[in-house]
Each structure stands twice: as structure tokens, then as C-alpha cells.
Amino acid sequence: MKEGSGEDQNVAPSMYSHVSRPSSHRNKNARKGLPFNVMLVGESGLGRKTFLNTLCESAVITGSEVTNAEQAHIAEPMQFKNYTVEMDEDGMKIILNIIDTPGFGDGIDNEQCFMQIQEYLELQFDNVLAEENRIKRNTKFNDSRIHALLYFISPTGHSLREIDIELMKRLGSRANIIPVIGRSDSLTPRELVLFKQRIMSDIVTHSISVFNFPDLDDEDEDAVEENSELRAMLPFAVVGCEEVINEDGRPVRVRNYPWGVVQVDNDEHSDFDRLRYVLLNSHISDLRDRTQNELYEMYRTEKLSGNTSVLANNTSQAVISAIGA
């Protein structure tokens, strides 16, 4: 593991973790583990770290890595932090590679952040393109293309902000963007419904490309129905939590408030479990396939025709500095 070992804790398993559906895991034969690369993007304070630990059901990011409260107000340059966790979902070994982006959106001018993330995504495409052009391929080549980019939206209750629109418009052709409302428990159920509607209206108005769970030609009626349900849920409203209590003899992840509790794994309280199931089970193949067959092929065509915005040296010094930070 690159930055976190993910020591197991007594964390309640996802209710979707061990459910098998006909469309799940089309890569059962990947004995060495199926690599799946996820990038987390969003401003500080939206629960990315807690979401990551809850997603992996282990302490991937420990307390020592969390920003000191006294330093929280200091805007630090954006970095790319990598974490690798080996997981078993529905009998399938998954090598989950997570790239977090601490520092994103914390400054007044976020143009540099936009450029760094775009160039990072394109650099991974460039590495694959260079490998394809080798006379002798590297059998140990690491394909680090991002299969899913989770963009965390602040729960303002109003609509998308300029930073949200600009970031997603820029990256929609480079990654499968899945919009997520961070810390959604700060909104009432009614506010959340209206906020989701406004966000999706903004996405349509600004022609933003997100992963909208497209129906494939070979999918059955159950898969088509499931995709329809997932489209209706966008953006996913998530709550992360590492605190576990015992309820009726079973461990449950909850957040306690003066007005009551929010159960992370309860579909009536949060979309977290459904999103986790999408990422690690039902749509892991769809996300990987679209990255290869649509996003990468489109980029490859642009690059070979000289019609892409990629820098001549594949990346800028800003990206190299951020990766090395």
C-alpha cells in the first residue's frame, strides 16, 4: 500500500457487499485481483476522508493524516495522495487504488487545481498510449487510468456553484464523473430532494457529461430497471461514519445528533450503500469498459490527430510537483 495500510477495524459491512446479481462482476477470472482506480475530488470539509474509510471498511487514512484543527484554515497547494487497498467483494478480489486530492478548492483561484487534475488524468492516458506503441510490451505495466471520479458537492441546498460547473465540464470527457453530495445529513429530506433536482437541472443546462448509467445492448430487464433507478438517484447523497454501535445484535454505523441518528447503511438515510455497491460490484465492469472503449479511445484519436490540449511533454511541472508532494 502506498500511503495507508488499511488496518481492519470492527466496521459494519455494507448491506450490498455480499449480494450477487446477474450483472455483477463480469471479471470473475481475474485471479490476481481486478484493479479499479477511483479519484476523490472536492473541497475540504465534505467528508472525503471519512467516506474513503467507510468505503473500504478499514482505517485507510488514520488520525495522524487528518489535518490539525489549528492548520485547517491555511490553504495548502493541492496534492495527489494515493492509497491502495485489497478487497474481496462477492468472491471477487479487487485492488482498489484511490487518489485523493487534498487542497482542491481551498484557494481563491482554483484554475491551477483544474489544470492539475486534467493533466493528471491525461497523463494516465498518455502512459497507456506509449505502452501500446512499444515494440515489446511490458508485462508488468500498471494501468493507472481513472475509472471513476467522485466529485463531492457542498450541501448548500441551492444549486451548483461555478467551481462545480467548471470542474465537471472540463473533466467530463476524461473520466466517469459521479456527482456526490457530501455530508448530506446537513439537509432535511425535503431540502435534499429539491437540491438533487436543482443539481441535475444544472447538469443538463450546462451540458455536463456525467456517468448516467447507460443501458447496454446485452443487458436484461433487471439491469435496465436498476440503471433507471440509479439515474433517478443522482447525485448520490452520502454520509460517512466510522463509529459502530450494536443494534439488535448486529454492528451498525451511525452518526449521532441531538435530533436523532443517521444510519450510514440505511437507504432511507443515505445513498452510501448503493454507491458502494455500484463502485465495487454491479457497475465496476461498466466503468472500466467505458474508460477503455469511450474515454480513452476518444482521447487517443484526439492525441494522434494533434487535436488535444495535452502538453507536448505529457504533463506540466505542476502535476509532477503535486504527485511528489
Side-chain angles (χ1 to χ4, degrees):
M1 189 167 183
K2 295 179 181 177
E3 298 208 24
S5 60
E7 294 292 333
D8 289 340
Q9 292 182 322
N10 182 25
V11 179
S14 166
M15 64 187 295
Y16 285 99
S17 297
H18 309 292
V19 178
S20 179
R21 299 188 182 182
S23 61
S24 305
H25 287 338
R26 299 170 188 173
N27 294 279
K28 292 277 190 180
N29 295 326
R31 296 180 181 178
K32 295 182 179 180
L34 183 67
F36 189 62
N37 307 322
V38 178
M39 176 176 280
L40 307 180
V41 181
E43 294 174 281
S44 300
L46 293 181
R48 293 192 327 276
K49 296 181 178 67
T50 304
F51 173 87
L52 173 55
N53 287 346
T54 311
L55 177 73
C56 298
E57 299 176 349
S58 61
V60 179
I61 301 181
T62 60
S64 61
E65 294 184 67
V66 178
T67 303
N68 188 302
E70 297 179 357
Q71 300 176 326
H73 66 286
I74 303 175
E76 297 287 343
M78 191 186 74
Q79 305 174 51
F80 294 102
K81 289 198 171 184
N82 300 277
Y83 304 90
T84 299
V85 181
E86 292 188 4
M87 309 178 69
D88 185 278
E89 292 289 321
D90 187 23
M92 175 68 189
K93 181 180 178 182
I94 298 174
I95 302 175
L96 181 62
N97 301 302
I98 301 148
I99 299 87
D100 191 22
T101 55
F104 171 83
D106 293 347
I108 298 176
D109 183 1
N110 295 293
E111 177 63 25
Q112 191 71 9
C113 293
F114 298 156
M115 290 178 58
Q116 285 180 277
I117 296 174
Q118 180 177 345
E119 290 165 3
Y120 182 97
L121 296 172
E122 293 176 346
L123 175 60
Q124 316 316 310
F125 285 160
D126 284 333
N127 291 340
V128 173
L129 182 57
E131 180 63 22
E132 289 179 347
N133 292 330
R134 290 167 59 101
I135 296 176
K136 186 176 181 180
R137 301 286 181 88
N138 179 6
T139 57
K140 297 183 179 180
F141 174 73
N142 177 35
D143 184 354
S144 54
R145 290 174 295 184
I146 299 301
H147 301 122
L149 188 155
L150 271 57
Y151 181 67
F152 285 72
I153 299 168
S154 180
T156 63
H158 302 298
S159 58
L160 289 178
R161 298 166 304 160
E162 184 178 347
I163 186 175
D164 306 323
I165 295 170
E166 180 64 21
L167 188 282
M168 290 194 286
K169 280 183 69 71
R170 285 200 187 193
L171 304 185
S173 63
R174 298 295 184 250
N176 293 305
I177 297 177
I178 299 179
V180 172
I181 300 173
R183 298 194 182 281
S184 63
D185 51 341
S186 63
L187 300 172
T188 67
R190 179 58 179 168
E191 288 172 340
L192 185 58
V193 169
L194 295 176
F195 190 37
K196 283 191 173 192
Q197 291 174 353
R198 294 189 189 105
I199 289 174
M200 295 311 296
S201 177
D202 285 345
I203 285 175
V204 172
T205 299
H206 295 280
S207 301
I208 297 172
S209 176
V210 298
F211 185 73
N212 65 344
F213 302 94
D215 295 326
L216 305 179
D217 294 337
D218 60 344
E219 287 187 321
D220 56 28
E221 292 183 4
D222 289 341
V224 171
E225 181 179 354
E226 180 181 28
N227 285 336
S228 178
E229 291 177 2
L230 292 169
R231 281 193 292 270
M233 295 177 69
L234 287 173
F236 291 99
V238 300
V239 179
C241 178
E242 298 169 74
E243 180 182 354
V244 180
I245 66 171
N246 189 292
E247 184 176 281
D248 297 328
R250 64 186 182 91
V252 179
R253 288 179 289 209
V254 299
R255 296 187 74 95
N256 287 293
Y257 295 98
W259 45 263
V261 300
V262 174
Q263 297 181 353
V264 174
D265 302 302
N266 187 332
D267 282 349
E268 296 182 359
H269 296 182
S270 169
D271 298 333
F272 171 81
D273 252 336
R274 199 64 183 271
L275 175 58
R276 186 182 191 278
Y277 184 71
V278 162
L279 293 173
L280 302 180
N281 198 314
S282 64
H283 286 74
I284 187 170
S285 294
D286 293 344
L287 290 162
R288 284 171 51 88
D289 290 347
R290 184 170 186 268
T291 300
Q292 167 64 36
N293 300 330
E294 295 186 32
L295 300 175
Y296 170 68
E297 286 299 323
M298 178 171 61
Y299 176 82
R300 180 178 181 274
T301 299
E302 293 176 2
K303 186 66 181 284
L304 295 180
S305 64
N307 196 25
T308 180
S309 61
V310 180
L311 301 181
N313 292 327
N314 294 339
T315 185
S316 69
Q317 188 61 40
V319 176
I320 296 174
S321 299
I323 295 175

